[in-house]
Amino acid sequence: MTAANTSLPPAMFDVDGFRADIAGGNTIGRCKAALGEASDYLDTQFHAGVEAGDLIRLRARFMDELLGALWDLQPWPTDTALVAVGGYGRGELHPHSDIDILILIGEDREACQGLVEAFLTLLWDIGLAVGHSVRTVKDCRVNAARDITVLTNLMEARVLRGSEPLMQAVREATSPAQMWPSAEFFRAKLDEQQARHNKYADTEYNLEPNVKGSPGGLRDLQVIGWIAERHFGVKTLDELSTGNFLTPDERRILDRGREFMWRVRYALHMVTGREEDRLLFDHQRALAELWGFEDGDKLAVEQFMQLFYRWALALGQLNEVLIQNFDQAILHASGADELRDINERFRTRNGYIEVKDERLFQQYPPALLEVFLLCAQDRDIIGIGAPTIRLLRDHRHLIDDNFRADPRNHKQFLDILRAPYRVTRQLRRMTRYGILGNYLPEFGRIVGQMQHDLFHAYTVDAHTLEVIQNMRRFQAPEYEERFPVSSRVARRLPKIELLYIAGLYHDIGKGRGGDHSELGALDAERFCLQHGLLQRDTNLVVWLVRNHLTMSAVSQRKDISDPEVIQQFARHVGDQHRLDYLFTLTVADINGTNPNLWNAWRGSLLRQLYTETKRALRRGLENPIDKQVWIEEARNAAIDILEYRGFTIEELEDLWRERGEDYFLRERAEDIAWHTEAIAGHYDRSQPLVLARSSNDSSVANATQIFIHAQSHPHLFSRVCAELEQLDLSIHDARIYNANDNMTLDTFFVLDSDGSAIAEDGARLKHIREHLARALATDTDKPAVVQRLTPRQMKSFTVPTETRMSVDEIKHVSVLEVASPDRPGLLARIGQVFVEHDVVLQAAKIQTLGERVEDVFFITDDRDQPITDPGRCEAIQDAIRERLDQQL
């Protein structure tokens, strides 16, 4: 059904009555009324279950009649035409899509200039979002030759009013014989598609996907239609013949998948009241409710998004198959195919692997894995041919319990992981074609499983494969600069496939309830035993899956400058072998969770933990380093620096008299010297001293170090946090030292709010120093006020704040953990609670994970003792939860 032949229900639009009304005047009012009535009718039909495809065609037909009636009000020259182009030209119009039109004119532009301006003004006055162009036949030819997007729009053109011969002249002038021949058009459209896919990380599994532009979206289907029209002359996808290009199953996938995507897009326009093609978080919830999903074992929104992702995956696969078919028909239509035998079962045709016998998978099911193994062993194989992809899809049901128990298949799967070329690409293909989910049913359960937060940028299966891709990158020379330590460590691993297996299973337990690390460890053990791994290798994989979050948690939530923390972690790891595997798994995992979360700061914490643990293991777990030795080494190294700058030991001892040992334990010698020299030259103790060093000077990664020496005030921490936030900075670490002389020495490590390093700009650092000094010098006792809006994405996550308190017997402090949705002023509000409950902050580890913060505060009472009274602990946590959640 196209817009041209879809009849309009009288209840939606009375064409004759409309024409009579606008002829009698009040054109604008009558048009607005007609637009409102048509939209109300179509939305009612949508809620009644009418297919979206029918509704968008009805809307296009309605718009044909409306525009045609308005066009007829003016005396147009005979050599003009009103033409629908783009999606409107295809006869598809969603509730708030632009109305794309071409006004085709003769060579005499002046003859219709006033008419064109009056017509367009009328369309704008009635509230239409019009995308328009005014061109001659020559204009169309010149622009289409230069820009394939213009050509594509013209290919979908429909004449609504005026000269059909004029449009026919455009078609002839822009035909494949005149410009953009089929092969050239095909390559250009593929390049265009790849560039668009890259914009969305080349995955169907985006956090907030675009129903039109993301891989597996409507644009992928349109690309197929454009190529088919240019080469084969079909006007719509519905004309694409079943048999030559589409199997009956693929025709069903095309029809049902397109209708699903149309319905999603229609609903997005309807619920937002504008042209909106992005499935933003708040829209995802609205659509889940519209689809009738309810919260259960999985959230309603996660159920809806899993459905969306699976349709996107199916349409992405269909796009791939048809593009390969077109490749053969267009680029290899002339001349003999280049065939190369691989073995008795497979060969390549023009670089794509294919079966020699269509009955192969039925007669020899292990070939279902063999085809991927061959691709991973032969770098000259481009991909899998479309007919073989279809056979894989049609025979994947043969992967049953007997198949999974076959030692031949165990060996082949392990050989895929050990193969030299494009291992991750084979795993992605196996996922897309349904092979991996059938071979590993536990993996099949996480395909398309959304993680409804801003921390995880991908679904569980996409994240898993991205983690394995990172592991592969560690071994590629071009990634050495980005992952210098991980690359060296990964190349030392004796059995790299054990790392891949751990990556494959580390998150496989998600979505089942319970601890996913423990559930995944059980699945990993079952896999290892079934595939005949040695017991020591099995033990390693199981340990890695069970502990895959440990190293990240220790590096970001504990004081890794404390030798006792290092010793404790070293005892947990046990040996260098495990440490190497865990380090590479951790780096790959963080990078595969969300590319925006990895930065040099996180990298430096992991490297520091890895290096110090390596030293502890080399010394021997029975020979822990004495904390006092670290302190003395730091003091002596700082003395060496400062003596060179003219200080005497007596002067330094006097300056350091009130410092606690934690200061020398946690600060580096060069930073101690930097602080000391500045304090010695700062004579007015009533005014705060603020220092800042850029990333090149800072001793920790790419973070900017801000040091504050000021008189102690209850609200100082809260005020500092608020001011840093006003400066658009995010705190990643805070070290608070309360000296006995009523002065504080506070060190903050900060990045820009987007996680990037602060630009090496002396003016910026000067502004930070002066702003903080000025703000802290006045009204320090007043609570901080943060005046910033909560970002849009954050508003979609209203998970209650969670807190936990414990006592660190090593550090003799209480440990307060706060997990909460991020929002402006969070740290300042927590600082105010500390003041109200007489809590003294000793240190803080600040971690922002997407929309969620997981902060750790090391606190004591006002006598520097851990807070152990249960009632007081609960009161502090209640106050924090109430203060933060009242903001949501």
Side-chain angles (χ1 to χ4, degrees):
M1 178 166 54
T2 64
N5 61 22
T6 303
S7 59
L8 291 174
M12 175 183 174
F13 188 53
D14 177 4
V15 180
D16 294 333
F18 175 78
R19 287 179 173 277
D21 288 345
I22 61 173
N26 191 25
T27 303
I28 293 176
R30 186 63 185 89
C31 287
K32 288 184 174 181
L35 288 167
E37 291 164 5
S39 291
D40 290 345
Y41 174 86
L42 292 169
D43 289 353
T44 300
Q45 296 297 302
F46 179 87
H47 285 293
V50 176
E51 288 196 349
D54 291 340
L55 299 180
I56 62 175
R57 294 182 184 108
L58 276 174
R59 188 181 296 275
R61 180 71 182 117
F62 160 75
M63 197 58 64
D64 292 352
E65 292 290 352
L66 181 75
L67 296 184
L70 297 179
W71 179 271
D72 293 341
L73 291 175
Q74 301 191 77
W76 295 94
T78 55
D79 60 345
T80 55
L82 175 63
V83 183
V85 294
Y88 180 32
R90 287 194 304 274
E92 302 166 5
L93 204 55
H94 285 270
H96 294 279
S97 293
D98 284 352
I99 316 298
D100 292 327
I101 58 172
L102 163 67
I103 299 178
L104 199 53
I105 60 175
E107 293 302 321
D108 187 1
R109 293 176 179 271
E110 291 184 4
C112 57
Q113 182 176 348
L115 296 173
V116 168
E117 291 177 356
F119 179 68
L120 292 174
T121 300
L122 177 57
L123 300 187
W124 294 326
D125 286 345
I126 66 176
L128 291 182
V130 179
H132 74 281
S133 58
V134 183
R135 291 178 177 144
T136 64
V137 173
K138 180 181 178 181
D139 293 335
C140 291
R141 182 178 67 249
V142 171
N143 283 281
R146 188 170 53 222
D147 187 346
I148 196 171
T149 305
V150 174
L151 173 69
T152 306
N153 274 337
L154 290 173
M155 286 166 50
E156 299 178 310
R158 287 184 301 116
V159 175
L160 304 179
R161 287 290 192 278
S163 175
E164 180 65 48
L166 202 61
M167 188 62 221
Q168 185 57 36
V170 172
R171 295 190 184 101
E172 291 171 0
T174 58
S175 68
Q178 301 299 322
M179 65 179 67
W180 294 101
S182 293
E184 192 177 333
F185 182 86
F186 176 71
R187 291 190 185 97
K189 279 299 170 188
L190 285 194
D191 291 343
E192 197 178 71
Q193 175 171 284
Q194 189 57 58
R196 174 171 49 82
H197 284 185
N198 291 341
K199 180 181 176 183
Y200 298 100
D202 203 14
T203 177
E204 293 86 355
Y205 298 137
N206 283 283
L207 200 64
E208 294 182 310
N210 187 302
V211 68
K212 184 178 178 181
S214 290
L218 288 167
R219 186 67 84 197
D220 277 8
L221 298 183
Q222 291 161 8
V223 168
I224 295 168
W226 294 329
I227 294 170
E229 178 178 352
R230 193 69 176 168
H231 186 75
F232 303 105
V234 301
K235 296 303 294 180
T236 69
L237 280 175
D238 297 317
E239 296 177 20
L240 201 60
S241 60
T242 302
N244 291 335
F245 290 107
L246 290 169
T247 67
D249 277 347
E250 287 167 348
R251 168 59 67 184
R252 283 191 291 272
I253 291 171
L254 171 60
D255 292 341
R256 291 178 58 200
R258 182 177 55 178
E259 170 59 28
F260 175 81
M261 291 296 176
W262 272 341
R263 194 164 186 81
V264 171
R265 191 176 183 213
Y266 191 106
L268 276 172
H269 285 211
M270 187 176 64
V271 301
T272 61
R274 64 178 184 275
E275 183 176 19
E276 178 60 87
D277 298 328
R278 300 168 300 164
L279 263 170
L280 305 180
F281 291 119
D282 44 350
H283 306 336
Q284 291 172 14
R285 288 197 178 95
L287 266 61
E289 183 178 347
L290 198 61
W291 257 252
F293 288 109
E294 297 179 353
D295 291 346
D297 292 338
K298 292 181 181 178
L299 295 174
V301 66
E302 293 178 344
Q303 297 173 58
F304 169 74
M305 289 306 296
Q306 186 163 34
L307 176 65
F308 175 88
Y309 289 133
R310 290 190 169 181
W311 271 119
L313 195 66
L315 294 178
Q317 180 183 328
L318 185 64
N319 172 274
E320 177 186 11
V321 168
L322 286 172
I323 290 293
Q324 280 198 32
N325 270 331
F326 294 159
D327 182 291
Q328 293 295 118
I330 297 172
L331 300 185
H332 298 92
S334 60
D337 290 333
E338 184 180 332
L339 300 176
R340 176 171 68 93
D341 274 0
I342 298 177
N343 59 28
E344 65 274 16
R345 291 177 291 278
F346 293 96
R347 67 186 173 208
T348 61
R349 181 185 300 274
N350 302 320
Y352 289 90
I353 192 170
E354 66 179 18
V355 297
K356 292 182 177 180
D357 186 340
E358 289 190 355
R359 298 168 297 174
L360 172 63
F361 296 135
Q362 185 68 44
Q363 295 172 348
Y364 183 66
L368 289 164
L369 290 182
E370 183 185 11
V371 63
F372 299 100
L373 176 58
L374 293 172
C375 287
Q377 291 176 333
D378 188 338
R379 70 187 314 166
D380 294 328
I381 296 176
I382 299 172
I384 302 175
T388 301
I389 291 174
R390 286 169 168 150
L391 291 171
L392 284 166
R393 187 182 62 225
D394 293 342
H395 291 87
R396 60 192 175 195
H397 66 277
L398 297 175
I399 303 178
D400 54 14
D401 288 341
N402 290 331
F403 184 100
R404 289 186 282 268
D406 191 331
R408 293 175 298 179
N409 296 326
H410 298 161
K411 182 179 185 305
Q412 286 196 118
F413 188 78
L414 291 177
D415 285 345
I416 290 173
L417 298 181
R418 297 178 179 124
Y421 307 116
R422 300 184 289 269
V423 170
T424 315
R425 188 175 302 176
Q426 308 319 316
L427 293 175
R428 292 188 199 280
R429 286 172 175 155
M430 292 170 72
T431 301
R432 172 167 283 188
Y433 308 149
I435 302 299
L436 188 58
N438 278 17
Y439 185 67
L440 302 176
E442 58 272 28
F443 187 87
R445 287 196 289 269
I446 63 171
V447 171
Q449 180 178 313
M450 180 194 185
Q451 303 175 84
H452 191 60
D453 55 40
L454 286 172
F455 176 43
H456 297 89
Y458 311 109
T459 57
V460 182
D461 57 317
H463 160 68
T464 298
L465 298 182
E466 188 65 23
V467 169
I468 296 175
Q469 178 69 69
N470 286 330
M471 296 169 175
R472 299 284 296 175
R473 288 172 178 144
F474 295 160
Q475 300 164 77
E478 60 266 30
Y479 285 92
E480 280 187 18
E481 184 175 347
R482 183 179 175 190
F483 303 111
V485 180
S486 307
S487 295
R488 283 191 291 274
V489 174
R491 288 172 191 152
R492 292 199 300 265
L493 300 179
K495 294 183 179 180
I496 194 67
E497 69 272 17
L498 300 182
L499 183 65
Y500 299 157
I501 295 169
L504 197 58
Y505 277 87
H506 79 288
D507 272 357
I508 212 161
K510 285 192 170 179
R512 297 191 225 164
D515 185 339
H516 77 275
S517 299
E518 291 295 333
L519 294 170
L522 293 175
D523 286 341
E525 183 174 32
R526 192 178 307 113
F527 171 92
C528 293
L529 294 176
Q530 186 181 41
H531 286 72
L533 270 65
L534 297 174
Q535 188 61 52
R536 64 174 177 271
D537 292 340
T538 298
N539 292 342
L540 172 62
V541 170
V542 171
W543 183 86
L544 287 171
V545 173
R546 183 171 284 127
N547 290 276
H548 73 272
L549 298 174
T550 303
M551 193 168 192
S552 175
V554 171
S555 69
Q556 297 183 56
R557 304 177 74 179
K558 293 198 174 184
D559 183 3
I560 56 177
S561 62
D562 189 331
E564 294 183 27
V565 171
I566 298 299
Q567 186 71 15
Q568 190 178 57
F569 179 68
R571 280 196 295 268
H572 181 78
V573 172
D575 58 50
Q576 184 67 43
H577 187 62
R578 280 185 171 181
L579 178 64
D580 287 346
Y581 275 96
L582 183 60
F583 176 70
T584 47
L585 172 60
T586 303
V587 176
D589 188 19
I590 295 175
N591 276 274
T593 299
N594 187 325
N596 296 325
L597 293 179
W598 178 259
N599 53 37
W601 169 260
R602 286 189 167 88
S604 73
L605 294 178
L606 283 172
R607 286 196 300 273
Q608 182 182 347
L609 178 57
Y610 174 79
T611 302
E612 296 300 339
T613 306
K614 183 178 177 180
R615 290 172 180 165
L617 292 170
R618 190 165 58 238
R619 283 194 308 270
L621 296 177
E622 69 282 0
N623 299 312
I625 193 168
D626 187 346
K627 180 192 295 186
Q628 203 59 40
V629 172
W630 275 29
I631 293 171
E632 288 303 318
E633 287 179 352
R635 286 173 62 97
N636 292 334
I639 288 172
D640 288 342
I641 296 171
L642 290 166
E643 280 189 318
Y644 183 75
R645 296 176 184 173
F647 286 86
T648 67
I649 293 179
E650 290 74 21
E651 288 174 316
L652 294 177
E653 290 295 345
D654 185 57
L655 285 167
W656 292 346
R657 193 181 314 282
E658 305 299 334
R659 311 277 170 88
E661 64 177 20
D662 265 6
Y663 176 77
F664 295 98
L665 180 66
R666 299 166 67 196
E667 298 296 329
R668 298 169 185 248
E670 55 267 33
D671 291 330
I672 295 170
W674 177 45
H675 301 162
T676 302
E677 188 171 15
I679 291 170
H682 185 71
Y683 301 107
D684 187 354
R685 287 165 58 98
S686 66
Q687 296 298 308
L689 167 67
V690 180
L691 306 176
R693 295 213 294 202
S694 66
S695 55
N696 280 345
D697 294 327
S698 172
S699 58
V700 184
N702 64 339
T704 292
Q705 183 182 157
I706 296 174
F707 174 74
I708 298 171
H709 182 244
Q711 291 183 354
S712 296
H713 291 285
H715 291 286
L716 185 63
F717 174 76
S718 180
R719 288 296 299 261
V720 171
C721 292
E723 296 301 333
L724 290 174
E725 190 164 346
Q726 292 298 117
L727 289 166
D728 204 30
L729 301 174
S730 62
I731 301 170
H732 285 257
D733 199 0
R735 302 171 184 174
I736 313 298
Y737 308 105
N738 295 297
N740 294 329
D741 57 355
N742 200 35
M743 300 293 288
T744 66
L745 297 88
D746 299 346
T747 300
F748 296 86
F749 290 96
V750 302
L751 298 171
D752 262 325
S753 59
D754 62 0
S756 62
I758 296 172
E760 297 176 25
D761 180 356
R764 177 88 187 275
L765 292 179
K766 181 181 178 183
H767 173 66
I768 291 171
R769 290 195 301 268
E770 291 179 349
H771 179 93
L772 282 173
R774 188 167 52 250
L776 298 179
T778 58
D779 299 327
T780 312
D781 286 328
K782 290 185 178 180
V785 177
V786 175
Q787 298 175 332
R788 298 186 68 192
L789 297 176
T790 302
R792 171 191 62 79
Q793 289 184 323
M794 304 301 185
K795 294 178 181 178
S796 297
F797 296 89
T798 55
V799 180
T801 298
E802 298 176 4
T803 62
R804 188 163 71 97
M805 277 186 74
S806 59
V807 173
D808 186 335
E809 301 295 346
I810 297 175
K811 304 288 293 181
H812 303 294
V813 295
S814 292
V815 181
L816 169 65
E817 300 177 55
V818 178
S820 180
D822 194 14
R823 84 270 338 237
L826 182 142
L827 287 174
R829 287 177 170 84
I830 292 175
Q832 290 167 11
V833 172
F834 289 163
V835 173
E836 294 163 7
H837 289 262
D838 297 322
V839 170
V840 178
L841 178 64
Q842 304 292 343
K845 302 282 278 188
I846 312 300
Q847 181 177 207
T848 303
L849 307 171
E851 90 295 347
R852 181 177 173 85
V853 297
E854 294 183 358
D855 298 343
V856 182
F857 302 92
F858 303 91
I859 58 177
T860 63
D861 60 20
D862 52 9
R863 293 171 293 125
D864 290 335
Q865 296 299 309
I867 301 170
T868 56
D869 177 64
R872 188 177 180 189
C873 290
E874 194 58 39
I876 294 169
Q877 294 177 81
D878 285 344
I880 289 174
R881 290 192 294 263
E882 180 181 353
R883 189 70 53 88
L884 297 185
D885 289 347
Q886 72 182 8
Q887 197 181 353
L888 297 178

